[in-house]
Amino acid sequence: MTILRDLAAAVTDILQQCKTTPYEVFLGLSLIVAVYQFYDLVLKKEDMPIYGAKGPFAQTRTRLLANFTCSKLLQQGYTALGPLGKPFKIRMPGRDLVIVTHPADIDQLKTVDGSILSFDDAILDLSVHYTVGKAVLQNPYHIPIISKSFTQHLSSMLPAITAELAGAFEENTSIGSEWTEIATHDVMTQVISRTSNLVLVGAPLCRDKTYLDVLTAFSTKALVAGMTVDMAPDMLKPLLARLLINRESALASVQACLTPLFDARRAQLEKSGPDWPDRPKDAAQWILESAPDKSDYTDMTARIILLNFAAIHTSTLSILQILYDLAAHNHHIEPVRLEIESALREAGGWTVGAIAKMRLLDSVIRESLRLNSVLTATAVRRSRVPFTFASGTTIPAGTTVAAPAYPVHQDPALYDSPLAFDGFRHARLRDADAGAQHKHQATSATSDYLVFGLGKHACPGRFFVVNELKILTAYLVCNYEFRLPGKEGVRPGNVFFSFSCAPDTKVRMSFRRRKEWGESAWRECGY
């Protein structure tokens, strides 16, 4: 009954957004059911176990309800077949998804050439191109900007990032020596949005309320639209996307904010050339310089939006998870704080070297991400030709396949007491395995830690995201005490939708300044 209520609520939300009559929606849903039923009963042949509903119209019901049940089905399939290294299939609204469980098969998602198992084809199969446009995905020249330029310039950006994070938090709160309750999700969204846009478009636009509000509104609407479009068969997706979001209008609103920036940057670049002194180090500048000759501002704006969407939502959900874990297991806080302050004092401030010495902080973040990965299935690929995995499993061309991140992270064969939050677990592993330091870091991408995917298509922004999370966590730990509502030691549960895992965003945490606030290493270093 809970699933049915969730489905009814989702349909009601669609009705309200689209201003569509119940009769029209009933006809649309009836058409979806008919298409699914014809496909499942007449066209589809099964070659591996399927997890989902039982009884009449089981496969069609599984597809319709998949967004509410697929993470549970993912765990059920892995529990039953993971120990055997056998694959299984989950019925999704717009496609079937094959989950590989054998370690050798998961490794092949990393190593097999894209001409055989394609990441690009898998992404194009998702609904994202209905919200930001297919051209952004077909020519992703912004990806090297993230993977190379941000990493290359991170050291010089750290002071500005640190100041922006602290300033954004203090401007969006009013916290003194008494416990003060805040809307944690809303505040963190503002902090992450401002800081992310510092490195995307620079100051002062990163602080412009109109720009940030337009971006947030579009990102939220695109998220709802994308998940809803994913519920439909391919033939109905373009129509449903058009009903749910007017991409052209939304892009125009963001572009209106970015056009003066692009105009000024282009004019200065034409005037000064490549030797422009103090040339901005942000994504807008790098996109402007890297864009193909015929690129227009609409295309560039779409890339800024896509980068925003990836940075803001992922980082905001992750910092909430980290805070919930630390507040529920607060014996971790003091050792982490002492390590941070020692590293800052030794380095004289935030440097790449100082961050490298914060091993306990890195371990806490990795552990929180392990237990609360934003995506429960990652390393998605689509086969361009028939392919046989190392385990002997053969998939036909056109099959979408993925790795079961969430179940892998909770596998007792891979992690001791896998359901327990052990914040220093990975620091101990680094101490015990001096030859594999990178393997146990928060930014790694391995077959037993799938938070960021695998191989060359692992999240290109993970180094920036993790460092942003480290700085924000360090700022809060060094300057504030914080606690959860309710019983001590109990953290809020997660919410699952489709292959997404999110914290409870309605939780209001309480903060107060530490008595040693003015004497912290953070303040000593001038931040």
Side-chain angles (χ1 to χ4, degrees):
M1 292 301 295
T2 300
I3 290 175
L4 293 176
R5 286 195 298 270
D6 290 342
L7 182 60
V11 172
T12 300
D13 184 58
I14 293 170
L15 279 171
Q16 292 172 345
Q17 293 189 53
C18 300
K19 299 180 180 180
T20 308
T21 67
Y23 176 72
E24 291 171 327
V25 171
F26 174 77
L27 288 178
L29 288 175
S30 299
L31 180 58
I32 290 174
V33 170
V35 170
Y36 283 157
Q37 192 66 10
F38 177 76
Y39 177 76
D40 289 331
L41 294 181
V42 179
L43 300 180
K44 192 66 178 171
K45 296 181 180 179
E46 300 310 334
D47 51 3
M48 65 181 63
I50 303 170
Y51 281 79
K54 307 296 182 184
F57 296 94
Q59 295 179 23
T60 299
R61 286 189 292 117
T62 297
R63 289 191 190 280
L64 289 173
L65 300 176
N67 281 330
F68 304 98
T69 62
C70 62
S71 289
K72 179 180 179 181
L73 299 178
L74 184 69
Q75 185 65 60
Q76 289 178 354
Y78 186 85
T79 300
L81 297 173
L84 304 175
K86 300 293 185 183
F88 60 94
K89 188 177 294 185
I90 295 178
R91 292 274 195 245
M92 293 301 296
R95 71 193 68 82
D96 290 344
L97 183 65
V98 171
I99 303 295
V100 293
T101 67
H102 196 286
D105 294 354
I106 294 175
D107 277 335
Q108 285 186 292
L109 298 179
K110 171 183 178 179
T111 59
V112 173
D113 190 78
S115 62
I116 299 171
L117 296 178
S118 172
F119 172 81
D120 296 335
D121 289 1
I123 295 301
L124 284 173
D125 195 38
L126 300 177
S127 60
V128 63
H129 66 271
Y130 292 111
T131 54
V132 296
K134 188 174 289 189
V136 175
L137 302 176
Q138 290 176 327
N139 182 18
Y141 66 81
H142 56 280
I143 295 298
I145 290 173
I146 303 304
S147 59
K148 295 179 182 178
S149 298
F150 276 160
T151 304
Q152 179 183 349
H153 295 287
L154 178 62
S155 180
S156 62
M157 292 177 173
L158 282 175
I161 292 172
T162 303
E164 200 68 36
L165 277 170
F169 184 82
E170 292 174 13
E171 288 175 26
N172 282 280
T173 59
S174 181
I175 299 171
S177 59
E178 301 297 323
W179 285 110
T180 303
E181 189 179 85
I182 68 171
T184 320
H185 174 262
D186 294 344
V187 170
M188 293 305 160
T189 298
Q190 292 296 320
V191 173
I192 294 293
S193 180
R194 234 176 85 168
T195 307
S196 297
N197 275 282
L198 175 70
V199 299
L200 291 178
V201 299
L205 187 57
C206 70
R207 302 173 194 135
D208 186 276
K209 188 176 186 303
T210 300
Y211 168 71
L212 294 177
D213 286 348
V214 168
L215 264 178
T216 301
F218 177 65
S219 295
T220 302
K221 195 169 185 180
L223 180 65
V224 173
M227 289 183 172
T228 307
V229 168
D230 265 343
M231 295 176 67
D234 290 345
M235 67 180 70
L236 300 180
K237 285 182 179 181
L239 175 61
L240 190 56
R242 190 68 182 177
L243 288 171
L244 288 174
I245 186 168
N246 187 331
R247 186 179 71 212
E248 289 75 16
S249 175
L251 279 170
S253 297
V254 180
Q255 186 175 328
C257 299
L258 288 172
T259 293
L261 174 73
F262 285 140
D263 282 342
R265 298 278 187 91
R266 179 167 279 175
Q268 187 64 45
L269 194 59
E270 290 175 354
K271 177 182 177 181
S272 302
D275 298 325
W276 174 10
D278 300 322
R279 184 165 53 181
K281 297 181 178 68
D282 56 41
Q285 185 68 29
W286 295 322
I287 286 174
L288 198 63
E289 296 175 11
S290 304
D293 291 339
K294 295 183 179 180
S295 297
D296 55 22
Y297 286 172
T298 300
D299 177 81
M300 297 180 196
T301 297
R303 295 173 196 276
I304 294 292
I305 289 174
L306 185 61
L307 295 176
N308 259 285
F309 184 78
I312 294 173
H313 287 282
T314 300
S315 298
T316 300
L317 297 180
S318 296
I319 191 61
L320 290 182
Q321 301 282 22
I322 293 164
L323 290 177
Y324 293 174
D325 283 325
L326 281 174
H329 306 88
N330 56 21
H331 60 280
H332 291 85
I333 293 177
E334 187 63 16
V336 168
R337 179 189 296 124
L338 292 174
E339 179 191 65
I340 293 167
E341 298 212 335
S342 174
L344 289 178
R345 287 191 174 105
E346 185 176 338
W350 281 96
T351 65
V352 173
I355 291 176
K357 293 181 179 179
M358 299 178 189
R359 295 159 70 96
L360 296 181
L361 177 60
D362 184 89
S363 182
V364 163
I365 290 173
R366 178 182 166 108
E367 180 73 347
S368 186
L369 295 177
R370 178 187 73 84
L371 286 169
N372 311 287
S373 176
V374 173
L375 294 176
T376 58
T378 60
V380 62
R381 304 287 190 267
R382 189 174 178 86
S383 57
R384 290 184 170 179
V385 296
F387 178 72
T388 300
F389 282 96
S391 66
T393 298
T394 299
I395 57 174
T399 300
T400 303
V401 61
Y406 199 78
V408 163
H409 296 162
Q410 300 186 23
D411 190 338
L414 299 173
Y415 295 94
D416 293 333
S417 303
L419 300 183
F421 178 84
D422 179 358
F424 301 151
R425 176 197 304 270
H426 310 286
R428 293 194 303 271
L429 290 172
R430 290 177 68 179
D431 290 341
D433 190 2
Q437 292 291 298
H438 296 296
K439 177 183 177 182
H440 304 296
Q441 292 182 6
T443 54
S444 70
T446 59
S447 58
D448 59 355
Y449 179 71
L450 294 157
V451 171
F452 298 110
L454 281 172
K456 69 177 183 179
H457 294 296
C459 174
R462 65 189 186 277
F463 299 101
F464 170 74
V465 167
V466 168
N467 280 295
E468 183 180 43
L469 292 173
K470 286 181 179 179
I471 296 170
L472 180 51
T473 303
Y475 166 73
L476 296 172
V477 163
C478 288
N479 293 290
Y480 299 93
E481 297 176 65
F482 46 88
R483 66 186 184 190
L484 290 162
K487 185 178 179 181
E488 185 175 349
V490 179
R491 62 153 286 162
N494 290 327
V495 178
F496 295 88
F497 186 81
S498 185
F499 287 105
S500 298
C501 168
D504 184 346
T505 58
K506 296 182 178 63
V507 172
R508 296 176 65 88
M509 296 183 70
S510 294
F511 287 75
R512 70 179 179 188
R513 280 188 178 180
R514 295 181 64 236
K515 293 178 182 178
E516 304 84 359
W517 181 80
E519 302 171 4
S520 72
W522 188 282
R523 302 292 166 182
E524 288 179 17
C525 294
Y527 298 110

